[in-house]
Amino acid sequence: MDLHGSKKESLIGSPQGGIISPILANVYLHELDEYIVEVKKTYEKGTRKRDNPEYVRLIREKNRLVARGATKTKAFRTIMKQIRATPSKMVNDPTFCRMKYLRYADDWLIGLCGSRAIAEEVKEQVKTFLHDHLKLTLSEEKTRITHAQTEEAFFLGTILTIGNGGEAKVVLQKTSKGKMIQRRSTGWTTIMKAPMEKVLKRLKERGFCTGTGEPTAKGLWTSLDADQIIQLYSSVNRGLQNYYRFVDNWKQCSRIQYILKFSLAKTLAQKYKISVPQVFRRFGKGLSLLIKGQGGKTDRQVCFYLNRDWTKNRLAFQGGN
């Protein structure tokens, strides 16, 4: 419907990024959600994975050493190292299969504990369903089958893998009662990372840096007031950090903040025709500006958002940044 109230047929659908788009996607793809439920019933089997024979053997050997009081020996340390590196259950148990499905608007992901052959079948079934029932074409380029331990999956702007390269170690973990206990980590933890190369590419495309990540002035913003420029840079920095606060390579995101901070400094330098060091002398190390109101009194302070906590927090999304 245009501004004059006239209705016209659209051949391109709702605009990408429009507020209504995710809602319409949820309505239209609800049938896909229901279809996946039926697919899961077809393939899922078994109640639990069978015990790994090698793990059972190692535990028995460990118990024999404990019974002999040989816990201080090299043999015991070797056995414990092998136990930490060995899954307690069969990794490829043919009697067990599970599927997990997650969708956000038109972006969806299926996690499969099963064979690649099953993954191929599921992909073809989803492709056929989308084509025949929803008149949608599955993107072969974006819809890939990846092995979670040896390849990377990409979902909602995040790189997903399983495992830390097989490195076995003992980690501290807090129980539901708040008690700290030791547990073994065999390297099967889900790893979530921000795609730094893609983020840097987007920053380059938007004029914040060069292809190598060198901060550049954003010339189109020099016509704005200084407080508006600072607020715009802050919104970009805060937005990216709020989105990726949970990732395992969170510390690497400090590079994004560095690029935006010095891009802001160079933009202000270009606006006032001064050097970057002069910008920091004028606006301070944190790049802030006092806005004065009536009578020359300070009305408010506008600051570039700077994060100083780069410790990893996998559960940060539950409480915000």
Side-chain angles (χ1 to χ4, degrees):
M1 182 178 293
D2 61 23
L3 294 175
H4 304 289
S6 301
K7 294 182 179 179
K8 297 179 181 179
E9 291 293 333
S10 172
L11 298 177
I12 60 174
S14 61
Q16 186 173 4
I19 298 175
I20 195 66
S21 295
I23 299 174
L24 294 176
N26 285 339
V27 172
Y28 196 73
L29 293 176
H30 176 68
E31 293 182 41
L32 174 62
D33 301 341
E34 294 181 325
Y35 177 71
I36 297 296
V37 171
E38 297 303 315
V39 173
K40 287 179 62 175
K41 292 178 182 178
T42 302
Y43 288 101
E44 288 192 340
K45 59 182 177 180
T47 55
R48 53 176 290 179
K49 287 186 175 181
R50 291 178 293 179
D51 292 336
N52 183 356
E54 177 61 16
Y55 182 79
V56 173
R57 184 191 70 78
L58 290 170
I59 290 295
R60 287 173 179 169
E61 180 63 24
K62 170 203 164 187
N63 291 337
R64 282 194 290 268
L65 291 172
V66 171
R68 295 205 304 262
T71 58
K72 303 294 184 180
T73 64
K74 181 179 179 180
F76 185 82
R77 291 193 296 270
T78 301
I79 286 292
M80 291 304 300
K81 185 176 181 180
Q82 292 175 336
I83 288 174
R84 288 196 295 269
T86 305
S88 61
K89 302 296 180 182
M90 291 179 62
V91 177
N92 299 313
D93 187 350
T95 67
F96 182 87
C97 182
R98 285 291 183 275
M99 280 179 57
K100 296 293 183 181
Y101 167 72
L102 183 64
R103 181 180 64 79
Y104 183 87
D106 63 342
D107 202 356
W108 53 272
L109 179 75
I110 293 178
L112 175 69
C113 179
S115 67
R116 185 177 182 89
I118 294 178
E120 296 281 2
E121 290 179 14
V122 171
K123 178 183 175 182
E124 287 302 313
Q125 289 180 17
V126 172
K127 178 181 178 180
T128 301
F129 177 82
L130 290 172
H131 181 271
D132 295 348
H133 294 271
L134 297 179
K135 310 304 177 185
L136 296 174
T137 302
L138 191 67
S139 171
E140 293 293 340
E141 180 184 355
K142 295 181 179 180
T143 311
R144 300 186 300 116
I145 296 176
T146 57
H147 190 285
Q149 275 201 306
T150 59
E151 300 172 282
E152 295 178 344
F154 192 71
F155 182 62
L156 298 180
T158 307
I159 296 173
L160 303 175
T161 58
I162 290 180
N164 53 9
E167 181 184 352
K169 56 185 178 180
V170 176
V171 297
L172 287 174
Q173 185 178 38
K174 185 180 290 186
T175 66
S176 58
K177 296 182 180 179
K179 183 180 178 181
M180 297 300 294
I181 61 171
Q182 286 187 335
R183 70 169 182 84
R184 73 188 191 104
S185 172
T186 57
W188 286 76
T189 306
T190 301
I191 305 298
M192 301 178 288
K193 293 183 178 181
M196 294 304 298
E197 289 187 7
K198 291 187 177 182
V199 175
L200 291 176
K201 182 180 178 181
R202 293 195 66 182
L203 290 175
K204 173 192 175 286
E205 291 171 349
R206 283 157 177 74
F208 294 110
C209 64
T210 65
T212 59
E214 179 68 25
T216 56
K218 198 165 174 62
L220 292 177
W221 286 3
T222 57
S223 60
L224 301 173
D225 293 336
D227 62 312
Q228 293 176 310
I229 297 173
I230 294 173
Q231 287 177 329
L232 284 171
Y233 271 93
S234 285
S235 65
V236 174
N237 192 35
R238 188 188 295 272
L240 286 170
Q241 291 192 24
N242 281 341
Y243 191 87
Y244 285 116
R245 185 60 184 89
F246 64 92
V247 295
D248 291 286
N249 62 338
W250 169 242
K251 192 173 183 179
Q252 293 180 17
C253 293
S254 61
R255 185 181 180 189
I256 298 172
Q257 178 167 285
Y258 168 85
I259 290 172
L260 291 172
K261 179 180 178 180
F262 280 87
S263 174
L264 167 57
K266 289 185 177 182
T267 300
L268 291 173
Q270 190 176 108
K271 176 179 177 63
Y272 292 106
K273 295 179 174 56
I274 58 178
S275 67
V276 170
Q278 286 176 316
V279 167
F280 283 108
R281 285 196 292 270
R282 181 169 176 175
F283 293 92
K285 291 183 179 180
L287 297 176
S288 63
L289 178 66
L290 290 175
I291 306 298
K292 294 184 178 180
Q294 294 181 349
K297 294 183 179 179
T298 300
D299 179 50
R300 58 194 173 90
Q301 185 178 30
V302 178
C303 303
F304 173 66
Y305 173 74
L306 279 171
N307 174 57
R308 292 179 173 81
D309 180 11
W310 299 105
T311 56
K312 186 174 72 174
N313 184 1
R314 294 287 298 271
L315 302 179
F317 62 89
Q318 294 183 348
N321 193 7

